[in-house]
Amino acid sequence: MREDSVLDALEAEAIHIFRETAAAFRNPVLLYSIGKDSSVLLHLAVKAFAPAPIPMPVMHIDTTWKFREMIEFRDRRAKELDLDLRIATNHEAIAEGVTPFTHGTHEYTRLMKTVALREGLDKYGFDAAIGGARRDEERSRAKERIFSLREPGHRWDARKQRPEFWRTTNTRLSEGQTMRAFPISNWTEMDVWNYIRRENIDIVDLYFARPRPVVDRDGVWIMADDERLPLAEGEEPQMRSVRFRTLGCYPLSGAVESEAADIDTLIDEMSQSKISERAGRLIDGEGGGSMESKKAEGYF
């Protein structure tokens, strides 16, 4: 009963933020990363505007290195929900040969995610972008308000956060400024999983344990999702029962060994875990590439 009341309150707050964003901004967009948080966002967006369709485009930043299952899932959900799906990709960087193996994780993320996001927002003239970031994920995200101002060039300055006293927000924009809005900022990872179970929300199967081909890279299980993953001489992928806590580009997403093959066993496993949610995200660990520096450059 207590869990339901917490989820009810979080859901009501998120729906209010969706409606406030739709009402206050000229041309908002919903960012969609295909992960569990994005799946919850999509579900909340449907609820916020039902029976009308979601009144804004949905944009995915496609690095072309996502898991194949993620792209299949994205296209299926876009069709099922009749989404106005926009895909932003840094084709110039691809033409120059940028991959997860050529430029280091920080520069790769800057070129393929941050630059692609900035260009996608500018291309369509979006003045507000709704994202699925949560404060409990990482310390720089804990500094952000629910409505987080971006200066011209989509730059974020942690010292220029607007107060949100008594949940009152200032959504005014000056020339060149844009806004990011985070409806599930106050949710925890467990809130997300409990809500997915309660609402029976469809998510990518990669979150559940299955036998998958993986290789050990410095203690991290990397899935050999296609033939582009370079293998050392004599190295062969081995089948392990693994799942993913977060999803991104497959060469930069570490799997965890697990037997949690359904939502109930997954939540039981999560409730006992002492490991950070983003421990498997290799883009967080490289020196000079902190999340805060990425966000200052315009990252999600």
Side-chain angles (χ1 to χ4, degrees), residues 197-268:
R197 177 167 61 180
R198 189 182 82 167
E199 302 285 311
N200 194 27
I201 296 173
D202 197 6
I203 57 174
V204 184
D205 196 61
L206 290 161
Y207 285 112
F208 300 112
R210 305 279 187 266
R212 296 187 170 100
V214 293
V215 294
D216 184 351
R217 296 288 163 83
D218 299 323
V220 179
W221 291 113
I222 299 296
M223 181 172 162
D225 195 50
D226 61 34
E227 71 287 352
R228 294 179 295 174
L229 182 71
L231 298 176
E233 185 176 352
E235 186 180 41
E236 289 287 341
Q238 51 185 298
M239 297 301 291
R240 295 262 180 168
S241 179
V242 299
R243 67 176 187 85
F244 295 85
R245 286 183 67 179
T246 63
L247 297 176
C249 298
Y250 83 82
L252 302 175
S253 301
V256 294
E257 292 193 86
S258 169
E259 298 297 331
D262 57 55
I263 188 69
D264 290 330
T265 53
L266 184 150
I267 288 176
D268 286 343

Side-chain angles (χ1 to χ4, degrees), residues 1-8 198:
M1 181 65 74
R2 183 180 181 281
E3 179 184 294
D4 271 348
S5 66
V6 170
L7 294 180
D8 286 344
R198 189 182 82 167

Side-chain angles (χ1 to χ4, degrees), residues 47-280:
K47 276 196 164 185
F49 304 109
I54 299 173
M56 62 190 73
V58 173
M59 187 162 75
H60 175 226
I61 308 304
D62 192 349
T63 64
T64 73
W65 285 90
K66 303 297 183 184
F67 292 91
R68 288 176 293 177
E69 283 186 61
M70 292 176 68
I71 301 304
E72 293 168 2
F73 183 86
R74 177 198 70 187
D75 293 342
R76 177 170 63 79
R77 293 297 287 157
K79 187 175 182 180
E80 290 171 349
L81 296 174
D82 194 24
L83 301 178
D84 178 5
L85 179 64
R86 316 286 177 91
I87 297 174
T89 298
N90 188 344
H91 293 287
E92 183 177 341
I94 292 175
E96 293 175 355
V98 175
T99 77
F101 316 107
T102 59
H103 286 66
T105 57
H106 177 64
E107 183 64 1
Y108 170 78
T109 300
R110 187 186 72 81
L111 290 169
M112 300 307 298
K113 293 188 175 182
T114 305
V115 172
L117 173 62
R118 294 194 310 233
E119 291 179 347
L121 294 173
D122 290 342
K123 177 180 178 181
Y124 297 107
F126 296 127
D127 58 350
I130 300 171
R134 307 188 326 269
R135 287 183 173 132
D136 77 324
E137 282 184 274
E138 196 274 337
R139 56 183 178 272
S140 70
R141 287 184 165 171
K143 298 178 182 178
E144 286 207 277
R145 304 290 191 264
I146 287 176
F147 285 89
S148 182
L149 187 67
R150 293 295 190 273
E151 298 297 334
H154 306 286
R155 290 177 293 105
W156 178 64
D157 187 342
R159 297 168 300 179
K160 294 184 177 179
Q161 296 289 285
R162 290 174 175 173
E164 293 181 337
F165 297 132
W166 302 287
R167 302 186 185 278
T168 301
T169 56
N170 177 0
T171 54
R172 292 185 177 181
L173 299 176
S174 299
E175 183 69 25
Q177 290 180 332
T178 57
M179 192 70 78
R180 304 282 172 89
F182 302 111
I184 62 170
S185 182
N186 290 328
W187 297 44
T188 66
E189 184 183 14
M190 287 303 295
D191 291 331
V192 169
W193 283 118
N194 285 322
Y195 189 71
I196 287 171
R197 177 167 61 180
R198 189 182 82 167
E199 302 285 311
N200 194 27
I201 296 173
D202 197 6
I203 57 174
V204 184
D205 196 61
L206 290 161
Y207 285 112
F208 300 112
R210 305 279 187 266
R212 296 187 170 100
V214 293
V215 294
D216 184 351
R217 296 288 163 83
D218 299 323
V220 179
W221 291 113
I222 299 296
M223 181 172 162
D225 195 50
D226 61 34
E227 71 287 352
R228 294 179 295 174
L229 182 71
L231 298 176
E233 185 176 352
E235 186 180 41
E236 289 287 341
Q238 51 185 298
M239 297 301 291
R240 295 262 180 168
S241 179
V242 299
R243 67 176 187 85
F244 295 85
R245 286 183 67 179
T246 63
L247 297 176
C249 298
Y250 83 82
L252 302 175
S253 301
V256 294
E257 292 193 86
S258 169
E259 298 297 331
D262 57 55
I263 188 69
D264 290 330
T265 53
L266 184 150
I267 288 176
D268 286 343
E269 183 180 278
M270 290 297 307
S271 65
Q272 300 173 37
S273 175
K274 304 296 183 185
I275 300 174
S276 167
E277 177 181 4
R278 294 184 68 91

